[in-house]
Amino acid sequence: MHSNLFLKILVVVIAALLWLQQALLKDHTAEIHVPLSFLNLPDELVLKDDNIRNLPVLMEGRGLDFILLKFSSITFIIDAADYKYGRNKLLISENDLNFPERIKLGVKKIDQDLIRYINCDRLVESSKPIELIYASAAEEEYFIRNKINDAQQKVSIKGPKSIVDDLGAIKTKKITQKMVKDGLLTIELVVPDNRIQLLQPTITFDVTSTRLVNQIISLIPIEYPLNLNITIIPQKVSVMLRGPEDLLNKLTSDSIRAYINPNDIKKALNTRNKFVEVNFVIPSGIKLLEHTPQNIQILEND
């Protein structure tokens, strides 16, 4: 009886091995998603497309080779030495496909409809103002009473031009009065985007006591995208500021940046009441108390 059971198991095992052998040696067709790897990209350029991931490739070969491929690396090697700023046509063929020679798979089709062009941005360096972020309102009041000297200094950053141009200011990590040591305040800066490099990750200020005053600055022009074919009413805004007297006395309407976020404009155009808020970039060490008007009307041009 035990002998018969052993024979039955042996037959099943042999049958399974024969089926597995046939499956491994038989030709199959399967779609493989292959990542793109760009070499020799000029130093002043960076890939702009965040959605560059992979291309579907229809491949054929033995089942054994498909199994081996799962444990190997496969990629398209793209020579980007001739890429320019802007849009570049993606020229790709099976000759750019890189995987181990021991794997004998053929290419039936490369589905390039998903990615036909590669956009390159220019790497640039720029100086941006610093926006101080306080841990609380009480901490902000402390640093208004105790002046942060040279708060208008800027920090150098490097990154894709499209991102750098849209950055208004580089924010600090939250600051407190406990961070002041021997009259010096050293603050870490926050990286605004993982594609942005801070050439100076920390910054140090002198802190001294000073007299606080309020001051109104009027007729500050409001920036908005001119390519959206809109008009804003009004086109200027007034602000009331509080800060060190000697610092406020130096400020003019050019010292304050007032702007409207393009995304806010697009949302407002789809609503009945086409009003948006104004955003401000205020010199560090100065507090914005209020601004007039509170909202700006958006009108579509005919």
Side-chain angles (χ1 to χ4, degrees):
M1 181 176 178
H2 291 291
S3 177
N4 289 339
L5 180 60
F6 174 77
L7 288 176
K8 289 179 180 179
I9 295 175
L10 181 60
V11 169
V12 171
V13 171
I14 292 174
L17 290 175
L18 290 174
W19 175 86
L20 180 60
Q21 181 186 34
Q22 184 180 15
L24 292 177
L25 298 179
K26 182 181 177 181
D27 285 342
H28 298 268
T29 300
E31 185 177 81
I32 307 296
H33 291 267
V34 181
L36 306 181
S37 179
F38 295 85
L39 301 181
N40 304 319
L41 187 70
D43 292 339
E44 72 276 8
L45 298 180
V46 63
L47 296 178
K48 188 175 181 180
D49 302 83
D50 295 332
N51 62 343
I52 296 176
R53 293 293 182 267
N54 51 54
L55 279 179
V57 179
L58 194 63
M59 306 186 74
E60 61 180 354
R62 298 182 307 166
L64 177 61
D65 290 303
F66 278 106
I67 292 177
L68 292 175
L69 188 63
K70 289 183 179 294
F71 298 96
S72 306
S73 74
I74 178 171
T75 183
F76 279 111
I77 303 295
I78 313 297
D79 187 357
D82 294 330
Y83 276 24
K84 307 295 183 184
Y85 171 66
R87 193 166 76 159
N88 299 270
K89 189 170 184 179
L90 178 61
L91 301 175
I92 199 168
S93 72
E94 63 179 279
N95 293 329
D96 300 314
L97 198 58
N98 185 334
F99 58 90
E101 293 183 0
R102 70 177 186 277
I103 300 175
K104 307 301 180 183
L105 291 175
V107 176
K108 292 192 68 174
K109 180 184 177 182
I110 300 174
D111 187 1
Q112 200 178 331
D113 291 338
L114 294 178
I115 307 175
R116 291 191 173 275
Y117 294 92
I118 300 297
N119 292 312
C120 287
D121 206 348
R122 184 177 291 117
L123 278 175
V124 297
E125 290 189 21
S126 179
S127 295
K128 294 291 180 179
I130 296 170
E131 181 180 351
L132 296 175
I133 304 299
Y134 302 97
S136 66
E139 297 293 350
E140 182 178 7
E141 188 65 28
Y142 169 84
F143 283 106
I144 290 177
R145 294 194 311 270
N146 297 272
K147 176 186 172 184
I148 297 178
N149 297 308
D150 198 22
Q152 278 74 59
Q153 63 178 294
K154 295 185 176 182
V155 63
S156 296
I157 66 172
K158 183 177 182 180
K161 185 177 186 299
S162 58
I163 299 176
V164 170
D165 289 349
D166 287 342
L167 288 177
I170 303 300
K171 296 181 179 180
T172 67
K173 291 189 176 181
K174 293 181 179 181
I175 61 176
T176 68
Q177 54 187 295
K178 292 181 179 180
M179 298 167 62
V180 179
K181 306 293 183 183
D182 299 324
L184 297 177
L185 173 66
T186 300
I187 316 171
E188 289 186 48
L189 302 175
V190 176
V191 179
D193 188 290
N194 58 14
R195 292 162 292 182
I196 293 294
Q197 177 187 359
L198 297 179
L199 301 183
Q200 185 180 353
T202 62
I203 195 163
T204 300
F205 298 98
D206 290 322
V207 179
T208 57
S209 298
T210 186
R211 177 171 176 262
L212 300 181
V213 296
N214 293 348
Q215 182 169 314
I216 295 176
I217 297 182
S218 304
L219 303 178
I220 301 170
I222 302 173
E223 301 175 15
Y224 64 95
L226 300 178
N227 62 337
L228 292 183
N229 196 31
I230 61 167
T231 299
I232 64 172
I233 299 177
Q235 297 194 351
K236 295 185 178 181
V237 66
S238 298
V239 297
M240 177 178 286
L241 306 174
R242 180 171 177 78
E245 182 177 21
D246 58 341
L247 188 57
L248 284 178
N249 288 338
K250 299 176 183 178
L251 296 185
T252 66
S253 59
D254 294 331
S255 306
I256 313 296
R257 182 188 174 208
Y259 68 96
I260 301 176
N261 190 304
N263 291 330
D264 292 343
I265 295 176
K266 293 174 183 177
K267 291 179 182 178
L269 292 176
N270 294 321
T271 63
R272 179 177 298 178
N273 297 320
K274 296 179 170 53
F275 287 88
V276 295
E277 295 182 353
V278 185
N279 301 288
F280 294 93
V281 177
I282 306 295
S284 296
I286 303 297
K287 183 177 182 179
L288 175 64
L289 297 180
E290 59 181 75
H291 61 88
T292 305
Q294 293 291 318
N295 296 296
I296 303 299
Q297 185 176 12
I298 306 296
L299 300 178
E300 296 185 76
N301 297 332
D302 296 330

